[in-house]
């Protein structure tokens, strides 16, 4: 899992409790899934995106943030690029 700091960057205020983001997986090397969750909590069992090798797959994700404003991203197989475009936030 990779920790990604969101609050306090790119105009996203510190202290926000969640985000609405377009999360895109591109160029995966293996069938898989991506899970997004608050960085301070255990990983949930659900996925936010499912994809196959070489695909580009976007999905609108609503995710809570950790108290310091971060999420974790996880994919179990292979490698992939992930783009997180925050389009809104929750305070």
């Amino acid at each position: 899992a990779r920790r990604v700091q969101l609050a306090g960057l790119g105009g996203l205020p510190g202290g926000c409790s969640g985000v609405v983001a377009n999360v895109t997986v591109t160029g995966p090397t293996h069938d898989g899934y991506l899970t997004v969750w608050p960085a301070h909590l255990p990983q949930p069992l659900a996925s936010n995106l499912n994809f196959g090798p070489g695909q580009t797959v976007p999905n609108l994700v609503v995710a809570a943030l950790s108290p310091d404003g971060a999420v974790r991203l996880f994919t179990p197989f292979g490698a992939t690029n992930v783009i997180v475009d925050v389009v809104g936030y929750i305070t």
Side-chain angles (χ1 to χ4, degrees):
R2 175 150 309 183
R3 185 181 190 284
V4 178
Q5 181 67 37
L6 295 176
L9 301 173
L12 191 63
C16 58
S17 60
V19 293
V20 178
N22 187 33
V23 179
T24 303
V25 168
T26 187
T29 60
H30 197 281
D31 287 326
Y33 61 89
L34 180 79
T35 302
V36 181
W37 76 97
H40 69 298
L41 296 177
Q43 182 178 336
L45 297 176
S47 67
N48 297 96
L49 293 113
N50 299 292
F51 50 84
Q55 291 184 322
T56 297
V57 179
N59 196 23
L60 190 66
V61 174
V62 177
L65 298 176
S66 64
D68 65 347
V71 294
R72 287 204 185 272
L73 307 173
F74 174 78
T75 186
F77 311 110
T80 188
N81 296 300
V82 179
I83 303 162
V84 179
D85 290 318
V86 176
V87 295
Y89 62 90
I90 301 161
T91 58

